[in-house]
Amino acid sequence: MGEMEELRKEAESLKDQITAARKTVQDTTLQEAAAGITAVGRVQLKTRKTLRGHLAKIYAMHWGADSTLCVSASQDGKLIVWDSITTNKVNAIPLKSSWVMTCAYAPSGNLVACGGLDNMCSIYNLKGKDGNVKVMRELAAHTGYLSCCRFLSDTEIITSSGDCTCVLWDIETGTEKTIFAGHLGDCMSLAVSPDFKFFISGACDFTAKLWDIREAQCRQTFSGHESDINAIGFFPNGNAVITGSDDATCKLYDLRADQELNTYQDSSIMCGVTSLAPSVSGRLLLAGYDDFNVNIWDTLKSERVGVLAGHDNRVSCIGVSSDGMACCTGSWDSFLKIWN
Amino acid sequence: MTIRNTLRDHGQRYRPRMACIKKAEKVLLEMQDPKTGVKSQPQRLVITTIPHAITGEDIITWLADRFQVDTQEARTFGSMLVALGYIYPLQDHKRLVIKPDVSLYRFQTPYFWPTQQWPVEDTDYAIYLAKRNIRKKGILELHEQEHYNRLHKWMNHKWDFIVMQAKEQYRAAKERKKPDRVVFDCQERAYWVVHRPPPGTVSAMDYGLDRLIDPNADEAKTPDFYERMMIFTQQAIMRPRVKSSVSISALVKYCATYRSHDPFLSKCLPSNPWLTDDATYWTLNMPNVEIPTKMRVERWTFSFAELLSDPRGRDDFRLFLKKEFSGENLAFWEGCEDLKWGEAATMREKAEHIYKTFLARGAPRWINIDGKTMEITVKGLKHPHRYVLDPAQTHIYMLMKKDSYGRYQKSPVFKDTLKKAICPEEHQFSDAQLGQNAKKRWPSLSPIILQQMEQEQKAKMAANVDITQLCRFTTPVPHLAVYSGLNDFPTANASPSLAFLAHTPACPSPISVALESTSASERRAEASGGESEGDPAARAPVGGNVSKSRMALSLRRLLKRGCTPASMFASLSPKCHSATGTSSRIQPISPDQPSQAPPRRIGNFFQIKVDIPPECRIYPIESEDEDEQSRAASRGGVGAKEIICPWESLTPQNGTG
């Protein structure tokens, strides 16, 4: 027992050391640096398109690498690829398991992936012969539900799971290449850096971790949230990380200075953040909440500059298209809305 | 009273909402404060008065005041409190919203708050429904009836117990005073509306799917756990950190730089397709458009990564590098990217191909990296894997970034592109035109088609690789036409020989092989451009069979023109022979000889055939190889010369590195 106590004390002292080390580099705060910047003003986006077709809660959506195709997954057991300009459904893929929690679009546009309570990540080939969309691979090794997946290329994909691990898969062989273990709670979401060298994961242990894909190591851990982290994303320049949590706050962490820079919260907002996406310049942060709204935050000044209200149920997923022209929100009311 | 569930519910089912609910409770306590809270008034029923009723508008006003938000937001906030079950409506009890009028609400008793640790059990619900049934038959709603029937079937084994409980509660309720009874009935009814909502309504208690980790379970704090944590923490402490000011100013600068490129913050020209249904913006910004827009060109100046990630930017950069004779850097970088992200099956060949083209001593497109990196890379290539070329790639990337990028931005190529870049006029659509646009909406180009276009582009590029460019030792001769051999590795193995020559204006080559579908005259016109753009003249066909048929076609053509087959074949065959010879020498690293150094002679892999008059023997030809000699023999006989890349030293059997 004494040994445990000593270990615990030592661990605590190390944690204090880290805090001290972080403090020494902190010679300014974001608030000070952003004080002189002009405000963004009210940002008003309106619904331009509504994508109707799902019959149950939409759990996830992801934009393709071009500007107009996106894929969405719903618990009615369908994965639909939309042409958002015409609102046509390009592909409607029936799933084996209807308990889907995530979907992803490959940067090449050839593949889509999805997964959920079946603990598997299913990869579908959109470019199949004679136009049929077929399952290309089923990546099964997780012991918990699949919460998020993101493609690195047509041959590699990273998944995060409720079994507290993230895994890098080799799609061609269908095997795990690397297992990233370290979280103490369900990994709820992940995001890949713009240069594809790192990825971050947010988990139910209230922390976010930065992983080096090649070295298979956890580089940094960010704490500060008081509840499960549901959503995570990279700042567009790849040097900062934004997390959204059930405690109704979003936080901005700096990777290089290893600090928490900003918290986006408001006393009138109580319900958790389900999803977030930064705009192309990084100045705006769009975050979807449980109270059926999306709030738009000015990342530098930490002010709320807009609200997107239009859904009748929780906003479960949000994404900004690759050219930054439009943002798509998916909700439990089974509709996707494109805002601009 | 319902029996408290003895099993400890870990609060799991409330977990996703727990943080929210705790905050809501704090607000509720404030609201109930007799002095600063919401004013309450007594509710008048027929003969009884029930105290502590509050109106909807009072709630909204109080919330708006407390949180400094507008009425609409306060209304949403209030509706959330009702949906969670903290406040319940007295009239219209099934709709859990706040109405901004005098409709009455009351605070729910803490016993029924969602944070209570006891789970909402079906047994309780069954008792509740049974109780209502006893009180007055036929009072249950349709969905409640369905629930009742279902529970009756499912809990049949304890139905006696349930009915007994229900009767007991009913009896106990009758003994209460009327106001208390009314209040309690309302409370209980509200509780069940929240937790067993009518179908089609949105329930605030719906939190989606359960998390796997039990939030209340104690973590296993083994010594091992602490040790691992300490190791990690120690590593974390030692990690280098950048000063906050530096990092933050980088973020701020990024936002400022990209602000005009953010469609949410700035207008986009000519018009935002989402607003006007006019897709001109996307057409002007296609990946491989001829003339880019000014905004796009501006983006290339933001960072080197931006330039490389835009295909059009990369093309421009490639053009610039070609003029500077350092195109091999970019080609190497692209090759490495291809290796990293490509399929595993072709990885080995790709790695070898890259090695032969860029890294081997005497390689035709040798890149300049320092000795250490070269050593690491060559060693790694014995067992090639996806990231084997990473150090070399990083080195070349930094080289390009620090050196070429800066010069590119000052170069005439870039300035020219910038000048030509278009700045489209803003669209001014009238309403009628907008309507028209909406009707004419075209589906977007499928990414698969875009990819095919890209592949075609790539194939074209591969055929016009920079080695067609003359090396710096030569001066361009006006009637020179420069060709490239096949450089596609797999096809080279498949189809030996096949060197393609085009007509030259001054001295018509005895051999002309039809390329693609360009006519001879076209080619002549293009070839007379002289400068080593190389694009039109040489187009490597994709497959061996195709080239063979082309050969046949061209032979026929030649014969028509009256060339003697003899001379033609004389020149053809040695080449064929030597080419096969060379291709046979180009062996992939055989797996059973892993220790062998990478292949020795690869220079002839890229055959630069230069059609120059015999008196212009510019290139020093030093060859010690047997096929070189055979080629030299053939050289004497035929006008067409075959020159190997002169800056390579043709060391036979030497091993590289």
CSV table of all heavy atoms in Angstrom, one decimal, chain A residues 4 8 25 27 48 57 68-69 83 110 172 186 214 219-221 228 247 254 256 270 279 281 323, chain B residues 15 23 27 206 211-213 221 226 232 239 242 244-245 247 262 268 275 282 343-344 390 444 447 451:
chain,number,residue,atom,x,y,z
A,4,MET,N,2.2,2.0,-3.4
A,4,MET,CA,1.2,2.6,-4.3
A,4,MET,C,1.1,4.1,-4.0
A,4,MET,O,1.1,4.9,-4.9
A,4,MET,CB,-0.2,2.0,-4.1
A,4,MET,CG,-0.3,0.6,-4.6
A,4,MET,SD,-0.6,0.6,-6.4
A,4,MET,CE,-2.3,1.0,-6.5
A,8,ARG,N,1.9,7.0,-6.5
A,8,ARG,CA,0.9,8.0,-6.9
A,8,ARG,C,1.4,9.4,-6.7
A,8,ARG,O,1.2,10.3,-7.5
A,8,ARG,CB,-0.4,7.8,-6.0
A,8,ARG,CG,-1.6,8.5,-6.5
A,8,ARG,CD,-2.8,8.1,-5.7
A,8,ARG,NE,-2.6,8.6,-4.3
A,8,ARG,CZ,-2.8,9.8,-3.9
A,8,ARG,NH1,-3.1,10.7,-4.7
A,8,ARG,NH2,-2.5,10.1,-2.6
A,25,VAL,N,6.7,28.3,-21.0
A,25,VAL,CA,6.6,28.8,-22.4
A,25,VAL,C,5.5,29.8,-22.6
A,25,VAL,O,5.4,30.4,-23.7
A,25,VAL,CB,6.5,27.6,-23.4
A,25,VAL,CG1,7.8,27.3,-23.9
A,25,VAL,CG2,5.8,26.5,-22.8
A,27,ASP,N,4.2,32.8,-22.7
A,27,ASP,CA,4.5,34.2,-22.5
A,27,ASP,C,3.4,35.1,-23.0
A,27,ASP,O,3.5,36.3,-22.9
A,27,ASP,CB,5.9,34.6,-23.2
A,27,ASP,CG,5.8,34.1,-24.6
A,27,ASP,OD1,4.9,33.4,-25.0
A,27,ASP,OD2,6.8,34.5,-25.4
A,48,ARG,N,-29.3,26.1,-47.7
A,48,ARG,CA,-29.5,26.2,-49.2
A,48,ARG,C,-30.1,24.9,-49.7
A,48,ARG,O,-30.8,25.0,-50.7
A,48,ARG,CB,-28.1,26.4,-49.8
A,48,ARG,CG,-27.4,27.6,-49.3
A,48,ARG,CD,-28.0,28.9,-49.7
A,48,ARG,NE,-27.5,30.0,-48.9
A,48,ARG,CZ,-28.0,31.2,-48.9
A,48,ARG,NH1,-29.1,31.4,-49.6
A,48,ARG,NH2,-27.5,32.2,-48.2
A,57,LYS,N,-32.4,8.3,-37.6
A,57,LYS,CA,-31.4,9.2,-37.1
A,57,LYS,C,-30.1,9.1,-38.0
A,57,LYS,O,-29.6,8.0,-38.2
A,57,LYS,CB,-30.9,8.9,-35.7
A,57,LYS,CG,-32.0,9.0,-34.7
A,57,LYS,CD,-31.4,8.6,-33.3
A,57,LYS,CE,-32.5,8.7,-32.3
A,57,LYS,NZ,-32.0,8.0,-31.1
A,68,THR,N,-18.6,18.7,-53.8
A,68,THR,CA,-20.0,18.5,-53.7
A,68,THR,C,-20.5,17.2,-53.3
A,68,THR,O,-21.7,17.0,-53.0
A,68,THR,CB,-20.7,18.9,-55.1
A,68,THR,OG1,-20.0,18.1,-56.1
A,68,THR,CG2,-20.5,20.3,-55.4
A,69,LEU,N,-19.7,16.2,-53.3
A,69,LEU,CA,-20.2,14.9,-52.9
A,69,LEU,C,-20.0,14.6,-51.4
A,69,LEU,O,-18.9,15.0,-50.9
A,69,LEU,CB,-19.5,13.7,-53.7
A,69,LEU,CG,-19.8,13.7,-55.2
A,69,LEU,CD1,-19.0,12.5,-55.8
A,69,LEU,CD2,-21.3,13.4,-55.4
A,83,ASP,N,-25.1,13.9,-54.1
A,83,ASP,CA,-24.6,15.1,-54.9
A,83,ASP,C,-25.3,16.3,-54.3
A,83,ASP,O,-26.4,16.5,-54.6
A,83,ASP,CB,-24.9,14.9,-56.4
A,83,ASP,CG,-24.4,16.1,-57.2
A,83,ASP,OD1,-23.8,17.0,-56.6
A,83,ASP,OD2,-24.7,16.0,-58.4
A,110,ASN,N,-12.8,6.8,-54.3
A,110,ASN,CA,-13.2,5.4,-54.7
A,110,ASN,C,-13.9,4.6,-53.7
A,110,ASN,O,-14.6,3.7,-54.0
A,110,ASN,CB,-11.9,4.7,-55.1
A,110,ASN,CG,-11.2,5.3,-56.3
A,110,ASN,OD1,-11.8,5.9,-57.1
A,110,ASN,ND2,-9.9,5.1,-56.3
A,172,GLU,N,-5.8,-3.5,-48.0
A,172,GLU,CA,-5.6,-4.6,-49.0
A,172,GLU,C,-5.6,-5.9,-48.3
A,172,GLU,O,-6.1,-6.9,-48.8
A,172,GLU,CB,-4.3,-4.3,-49.8
A,172,GLU,CG,-4.4,-3.1,-50.6
A,172,GLU,CD,-3.1,-2.8,-51.3
A,172,GLU,OE1,-2.1,-2.7,-50.5
A,172,GLU,OE2,-3.1,-2.6,-52.5
A,186,ASP,N,-13.7,5.2,-23.8
A,186,ASP,CA,-14.1,4.9,-25.2
A,186,ASP,C,-13.6,6.1,-26.0
A,186,ASP,O,-13.8,7.2,-25.7
A,186,ASP,CB,-15.6,5.0,-25.4
A,186,ASP,CG,-16.3,4.0,-24.5
A,186,ASP,OD1,-15.7,3.5,-23.5
A,186,ASP,OD2,-17.5,3.8,-24.7
A,214,ARG,N,3.5,7.1,-38.0
A,214,ARG,CA,4.6,6.3,-38.3
A,214,ARG,C,5.2,5.6,-37.1
A,214,ARG,O,5.5,4.4,-37.1
A,214,ARG,CB,5.6,7.1,-39.1
A,214,ARG,CG,5.2,7.5,-40.5
A,214,ARG,CD,5.6,6.4,-41.4
A,214,ARG,NE,6.9,5.9,-41.1
A,214,ARG,CZ,8.0,6.6,-41.5
A,214,ARG,NH1,7.9,7.7,-42.1
A,214,ARG,NH2,9.2,6.1,-41.2
A,219,ARG,N,2.1,11.2,-28.8
A,219,ARG,CA,3.1,12.3,-28.6
A,219,ARG,C,2.7,13.2,-27.5
A,219,ARG,O,3.5,13.7,-26.8
A,219,ARG,CB,3.2,13.1,-29.9
A,219,ARG,CG,3.9,12.4,-31.0
A,219,ARG,CD,5.2,13.1,-31.3
A,219,ARG,NE,6.0,12.2,-32.1
A,219,ARG,CZ,6.9,11.4,-31.7
A,219,ARG,NH1,7.2,11.4,-30.4
A,219,ARG,NH2,7.6,10.6,-32.5
A,220,GLN,N,1.4,13.6,-27.5
A,220,GLN,CA,0.9,14.5,-26.5
A,220,GLN,C,-0.4,14.2,-26.0
A,220,GLN,O,-1.2,13.6,-26.7
A,220,GLN,CB,0.9,15.9,-27.1
A,220,GLN,CG,2.2,16.6,-27.2
A,220,GLN,CD,2.1,17.8,-28.1
A,220,GLN,OE1,2.1,17.8,-29.3
A,220,GLN,NE2,2.0,19.0,-27.4
A,221,THR,N,-0.7,14.5,-24.8
A,221,THR,CA,-2.1,14.3,-24.2
A,221,THR,C,-2.6,15.7,-23.7
A,221,THR,O,-1.9,16.5,-23.1
A,221,THR,CB,-2.0,13.4,-23.0
A,221,THR,OG1,-1.4,12.2,-23.4
A,221,THR,CG2,-3.4,13.1,-22.5
A,228,ASP,N,-16.9,13.8,-21.3
A,228,ASP,CA,-16.5,13.0,-22.5
A,228,ASP,C,-16.3,13.9,-23.7
A,228,ASP,O,-17.1,14.8,-23.9
A,228,ASP,CB,-17.6,12.0,-22.9
A,228,ASP,CG,-18.0,11.1,-21.9
A,228,ASP,OD1,-17.3,11.0,-20.8
A,228,ASP,OD2,-19.0,10.4,-22.0
A,247,ASP,N,-19.4,18.6,-21.8
A,247,ASP,CA,-19.5,19.7,-20.8
A,247,ASP,C,-19.9,21.0,-21.5
A,247,ASP,O,-19.7,22.0,-20.9
A,247,ASP,CB,-18.3,19.8,-20.0
A,247,ASP,CG,-17.1,20.2,-20.8
A,247,ASP,OD1,-17.2,20.4,-22.0
A,247,ASP,OD2,-15.9,20.2,-20.2
A,254,ASP,N,-2.9,24.1,-28.4
A,254,ASP,CA,-1.8,24.4,-29.3
A,254,ASP,C,-0.8,23.2,-29.2
A,254,ASP,O,-0.4,22.8,-28.1
A,254,ASP,CB,-1.1,25.7,-28.8
A,254,ASP,CG,0.0,26.1,-29.8
A,254,ASP,OD1,0.5,25.3,-30.5
A,254,ASP,OD2,0.2,27.3,-29.8
A,256,ARG,N,2.3,22.9,-30.6
A,256,ARG,CA,3.7,23.2,-30.4
A,256,ARG,C,4.0,23.8,-29.1
A,256,ARG,O,5.1,23.4,-28.5
A,256,ARG,CB,4.1,24.2,-31.5
A,256,ARG,CG,4.0,23.6,-32.9
A,256,ARG,CD,4.7,24.4,-33.9
A,256,ARG,NE,4.1,25.7,-34.1
A,256,ARG,CZ,4.6,26.7,-34.9
A,256,ARG,NH1,5.8,26.5,-35.4
A,256,ARG,NH2,4.0,27.8,-35.0
A,270,MET,N,-25.9,24.7,-22.4
A,270,MET,CA,-25.7,23.7,-21.3
A,270,MET,C,-25.5,22.3,-21.9
A,270,MET,O,-24.9,21.5,-21.3
A,270,MET,CB,-26.9,23.6,-20.4
A,270,MET,CG,-26.9,24.8,-19.5
A,270,MET,SD,-28.0,24.4,-18.3
A,270,MET,CE,-28.1,25.9,-17.4
A,279,SER,N,-13.7,26.3,-40.1
A,279,SER,CA,-13.8,26.8,-41.5
A,279,SER,C,-12.4,26.7,-42.1
A,279,SER,O,-11.5,26.5,-41.5
A,279,SER,CB,-14.4,28.2,-41.6
A,279,SER,OG,-13.4,29.1,-41.1
A,281,SER,N,-10.4,29.0,-43.2
A,281,SER,CA,-9.3,29.9,-42.7
A,281,SER,C,-9.0,29.6,-41.2
A,281,SER,O,-8.1,30.1,-40.7
A,281,SER,CB,-9.8,31.3,-42.8
A,281,SER,OG,-10.9,31.5,-42.0
A,323,ASP,N,-13.5,22.9,-50.2
A,323,ASP,CA,-13.1,24.2,-50.6
A,323,ASP,C,-13.7,25.3,-49.7
A,323,ASP,O,-13.6,26.5,-49.9
A,323,ASP,CB,-13.6,24.5,-52.0
A,323,ASP,CG,-15.1,24.3,-52.2
A,323,ASP,OD1,-15.8,23.9,-51.2
A,323,ASP,OD2,-15.7,24.5,-53.3
B,15,ARG,N,-25.3,9.2,-18.4
B,15,ARG,CA,-23.9,9.7,-18.5
B,15,ARG,C,-23.7,10.8,-19.6
B,15,ARG,O,-23.2,11.8,-19.3
B,15,ARG,CB,-22.9,8.6,-18.7
B,15,ARG,CG,-21.6,9.1,-18.7
B,15,ARG,CD,-20.6,8.3,-19.4
B,15,ARG,NE,-19.3,9.0,-19.3
B,15,ARG,CZ,-18.2,8.4,-19.0
B,15,ARG,NH1,-18.2,7.2,-18.7
B,15,ARG,NH2,-17.1,9.1,-18.9
B,23,LYS,N,-25.9,21.2,-14.6
B,23,LYS,CA,-26.0,22.6,-14.8
B,23,LYS,C,-27.4,23.1,-14.8
B,23,LYS,O,-27.7,24.1,-14.2
B,23,LYS,CB,-25.4,23.0,-16.2
B,23,LYS,CG,-23.9,22.9,-16.2
B,23,LYS,CD,-23.3,23.3,-17.6
B,23,LYS,CE,-21.9,22.7,-17.7
B,23,LYS,NZ,-21.5,22.7,-19.1
B,27,VAL,N,-29.4,25.9,-12.3
B,27,VAL,CA,-30.3,27.0,-12.8
B,27,VAL,C,-31.7,26.9,-12.2
B,27,VAL,O,-32.3,27.9,-11.7
B,27,VAL,CB,-30.5,26.9,-14.4
B,27,VAL,CG1,-31.5,27.9,-14.8
B,27,VAL,CG2,-29.2,27.1,-15.0
B,206,ASP,N,-33.3,10.7,-24.8
B,206,ASP,CA,-32.7,9.9,-25.8
B,206,ASP,C,-31.3,10.3,-25.9
B,206,ASP,O,-31.0,11.4,-26.4
B,206,ASP,CB,-33.5,10.0,-27.1
B,206,ASP,CG,-33.0,9.1,-28.1
B,206,ASP,OD1,-32.1,8.3,-27.9
B,206,ASP,OD2,-33.5,9.3,-29.3
B,211,ARG,N,-22.2,4.1,-23.8
B,211,ARG,CA,-20.8,4.0,-23.8
B,211,ARG,C,-20.4,2.7,-23.1
B,211,ARG,O,-21.1,2.2,-22.3
B,211,ARG,CB,-20.1,5.2,-23.0
B,211,ARG,CG,-20.7,6.5,-23.4
B,211,ARG,CD,-20.1,7.0,-24.7
B,211,ARG,NE,-20.9,8.1,-25.2
B,211,ARG,CZ,-20.7,9.4,-25.2
B,211,ARG,NH1,-19.6,9.8,-24.5
B,211,ARG,NH2,-21.5,10.2,-25.7
B,212,LEU,N,-19.2,2.2,-23.5
B,212,LEU,CA,-18.8,0.9,-23.0
B,212,LEU,C,-18.2,1.0,-21.6
B,212,LEU,O,-18.3,0.2,-20.8
B,212,LEU,CB,-17.7,0.3,-23.9
B,212,LEU,CG,-18.3,-0.4,-25.1
B,212,LEU,CD1,-17.2,-1.1,-25.9
B,212,LEU,CD2,-19.3,-1.5,-24.7
B,213,ILE,N,-17.4,2.1,-21.4
B,213,ILE,CA,-16.7,2.2,-20.1
B,213,ILE,C,-17.6,2.7,-19.1
B,213,ILE,O,-18.4,3.7,-19.2
B,213,ILE,CB,-15.5,3.2,-20.3
B,213,ILE,CG1,-14.5,2.6,-21.2
B,213,ILE,CG2,-14.9,3.5,-18.9
B,213,ILE,CD1,-13.8,1.4,-20.7
B,221,LYS,N,-5.8,0.9,-10.4
B,221,LYS,CA,-4.6,1.6,-10.2
B,221,LYS,C,-3.5,0.7,-9.7
B,221,LYS,O,-3.1,0.7,-8.6
B,221,LYS,CB,-4.8,2.7,-9.1
B,221,LYS,CG,-5.9,3.7,-9.5
B,221,LYS,CD,-5.2,4.9,-10.2
B,221,LYS,CE,-6.1,6.1,-10.1
B,221,LYS,NZ,-6.9,6.5,-11.2
B,226,TYR,N,0.8,3.2,-12.8
B,226,TYR,CA,1.5,4.4,-12.4
B,226,TYR,C,2.8,4.5,-13.1
B,226,TYR,O,3.2,5.6,-13.6
B,226,TYR,CB,1.7,4.4,-10.9
B,226,TYR,CG,0.5,4.9,-10.2
B,226,TYR,CD1,-0.1,4.0,-9.2
B,226,TYR,CD2,0.0,6.1,-10.3
B,226,TYR,CE1,-1.2,4.4,-8.6
B,226,TYR,CE2,-1.1,6.6,-9.6
B,226,TYR,CZ,-1.7,5.7,-8.7
B,226,TYR,OH,-2.8,6.1,-8.0
B,232,PHE,N,5.5,8.1,-19.5
B,232,PHE,CA,4.9,9.0,-20.5
B,232,PHE,C,5.1,10.4,-20.1
B,232,PHE,O,5.5,11.3,-20.9
B,232,PHE,CB,3.4,8.6,-20.6
B,232,PHE,CG,2.8,9.5,-21.6
B,232,PHE,CD1,3.0,9.4,-22.9
B,232,PHE,CD2,1.9,10.5,-21.1
B,232,PHE,CE1,2.3,10.3,-23.8
B,232,PHE,CE2,1.3,11.4,-22.0
B,232,PHE,CZ,1.5,11.3,-23.4
B,239,ARG,N,9.9,16.9,-23.9
B,239,ARG,CA,9.6,17.3,-25.3
B,239,ARG,C,9.8,18.8,-25.5
B,239,ARG,O,9.5,19.6,-24.6
B,239,ARG,CB,8.2,17.0,-25.6
B,239,ARG,CG,7.9,17.0,-27.1
B,239,ARG,CD,6.5,16.5,-27.4
B,239,ARG,NE,6.2,15.2,-26.8
B,239,ARG,CZ,5.3,14.9,-25.9
B,239,ARG,NH1,4.5,15.9,-25.5
B,239,ARG,NH2,5.1,13.7,-25.5
B,242,VAL,N,7.5,25.2,-28.0
B,242,VAL,CA,7.7,26.4,-28.7
B,242,VAL,C,7.1,27.5,-27.8
B,242,VAL,O,6.1,27.2,-27.1
B,242,VAL,CB,7.0,26.4,-30.0
B,242,VAL,CG1,7.0,27.8,-30.7
B,242,VAL,CG2,7.8,25.5,-30.9
B,244,SER,N,4.7,30.3,-26.6
B,244,SER,CA,3.3,30.6,-26.9
B,244,SER,C,3.2,31.7,-27.9
B,244,SER,O,2.4,31.6,-28.8
B,244,SER,CB,2.5,31.0,-25.6
B,244,SER,OG,2.1,29.9,-25.0
B,245,SER,N,4.0,32.7,-27.7
B,245,SER,CA,3.8,33.9,-28.6
B,245,SER,C,4.1,33.5,-30.0
B,245,SER,O,3.3,33.9,-30.9
B,245,SER,CB,4.7,35.0,-28.2
B,245,SER,OG,6.0,34.5,-28.0
B,247,SER,N,3.8,30.5,-31.4
B,247,SER,CA,2.8,29.6,-31.9
B,247,SER,C,1.5,30.4,-32.1
B,247,SER,O,0.8,30.2,-33.2
B,247,SER,CB,2.6,28.5,-30.9
B,247,SER,OG,1.9,27.5,-31.4
B,262,ASP,N,-11.8,32.4,-47.4
B,262,ASP,CA,-12.8,31.7,-46.7
B,262,ASP,C,-14.1,32.1,-47.1
B,262,ASP,O,-14.5,33.2,-46.9
B,262,ASP,CB,-12.6,32.0,-45.2
B,262,ASP,CG,-13.5,31.1,-44.3
B,262,ASP,OD1,-14.4,30.5,-44.8
B,262,ASP,OD2,-13.2,31.0,-43.1
B,268,CYS,N,-17.0,35.2,-52.9
B,268,CYS,CA,-16.1,34.5,-53.8
B,268,CYS,C,-16.6,34.9,-55.2
B,268,CYS,O,-17.8,35.0,-55.5
B,268,CYS,CB,-16.0,33.0,-53.6
B,268,CYS,SG,-17.6,32.2,-53.6
B,275,LEU,N,-25.2,29.9,-53.8
B,275,LEU,CA,-26.2,31.0,-53.7
B,275,LEU,C,-26.9,31.2,-55.0
B,275,LEU,O,-28.0,31.5,-55.1
B,275,LEU,CB,-25.5,32.3,-53.2
B,275,LEU,CG,-24.9,32.3,-51.8
B,275,LEU,CD1,-24.2,33.5,-51.6
B,275,LEU,CD2,-26.1,32.2,-50.8
B,282,TRP,N,-16.7,26.7,-59.9
B,282,TRP,CA,-16.0,25.4,-59.9
B,282,TRP,C,-15.4,25.1,-61.2
B,282,TRP,O,-14.3,24.5,-61.2
B,282,TRP,CB,-17.1,24.3,-59.5
B,282,TRP,CG,-17.4,24.3,-58.1
B,282,TRP,CD1,-16.5,24.6,-57.1
B,282,TRP,CD2,-18.6,24.1,-57.5
B,282,TRP,NE1,-17.1,24.5,-55.9
B,282,TRP,CE2,-18.4,24.2,-56.1
B,282,TRP,CE3,-19.9,23.7,-57.9
B,282,TRP,CZ2,-19.5,24.0,-55.2
B,282,TRP,CZ3,-20.9,23.5,-57.0
B,282,TRP,CH2,-20.7,23.7,-55.7
B,343,GLU,N,-0.5,1.0,-53.8
B,343,GLU,CA,-0.8,-0.3,-53.4
B,343,GLU,C,0.5,-1.1,-53.0
B,343,GLU,O,1.5,-0.9,-53.6
B,343,GLU,CB,-1.5,-1.0,-54.5
B,343,GLU,CG,-2.9,-0.5,-54.8
B,343,GLU,CD,-3.4,-1.1,-56.1
B,343,GLU,OE1,-2.9,-2.1,-56.6
B,343,GLU,OE2,-4.3,-0.5,-56.7
B,344,ALA,N,0.3,-2.0,-52.1
B,344,ALA,CA,1.4,-2.7,-51.6
B,344,ALA,C,2.0,-3.6,-52.7
B,344,ALA,O,3.2,-3.9,-52.8
B,344,ALA,CB,1.1,-3.6,-50.4
B,390,ASP,N,11.5,8.0,-47.0
B,390,ASP,CA,11.1,9.2,-46.3
B,390,ASP,C,12.2,10.1,-46.0
B,390,ASP,O,12.1,11.3,-46.3
B,390,ASP,CB,10.5,8.7,-44.9
B,390,ASP,CG,9.1,9.2,-44.8
B,390,ASP,OD1,8.4,9.4,-45.9
B,390,ASP,OD2,8.6,9.5,-43.7
B,444,SER,N,-22.6,17.2,-60.4
B,444,SER,CA,-21.2,17.5,-60.4
B,444,SER,C,-20.4,16.4,-61.0
B,444,SER,O,-20.9,15.2,-61.1
B,444,SER,CB,-20.7,17.8,-59.0
B,444,SER,OG,-21.3,16.9,-58.1
B,447,PRO,N,-16.0,12.1,-59.0
B,447,PRO,CA,-14.6,12.1,-58.7
B,447,PRO,C,-13.9,11.0,-59.5
B,447,PRO,O,-12.7,11.1,-59.7
B,447,PRO,CB,-14.5,11.8,-57.2
B,447,PRO,CG,-15.8,11.2,-56.9
B,447,PRO,CD,-16.8,11.8,-57.8
B,451,GLN,N,-10.6,11.5,-61.6
B,451,GLN,CA,-9.5,10.7,-61.4
B,451,GLN,C,-9.0,10.2,-62.8
B,451,GLN,O,-7.7,10.1,-63.0
B,451,GLN,CB,-9.8,9.5,-60.5
B,451,GLN,CG,-8.8,9.4,-59.4
B,451,GLN,CD,-9.0,8.1,-58.7
B,451,GLN,OE1,-9.9,7.3,-59.0
B,451,GLN,NE2,-8.0,7.8,-57.9
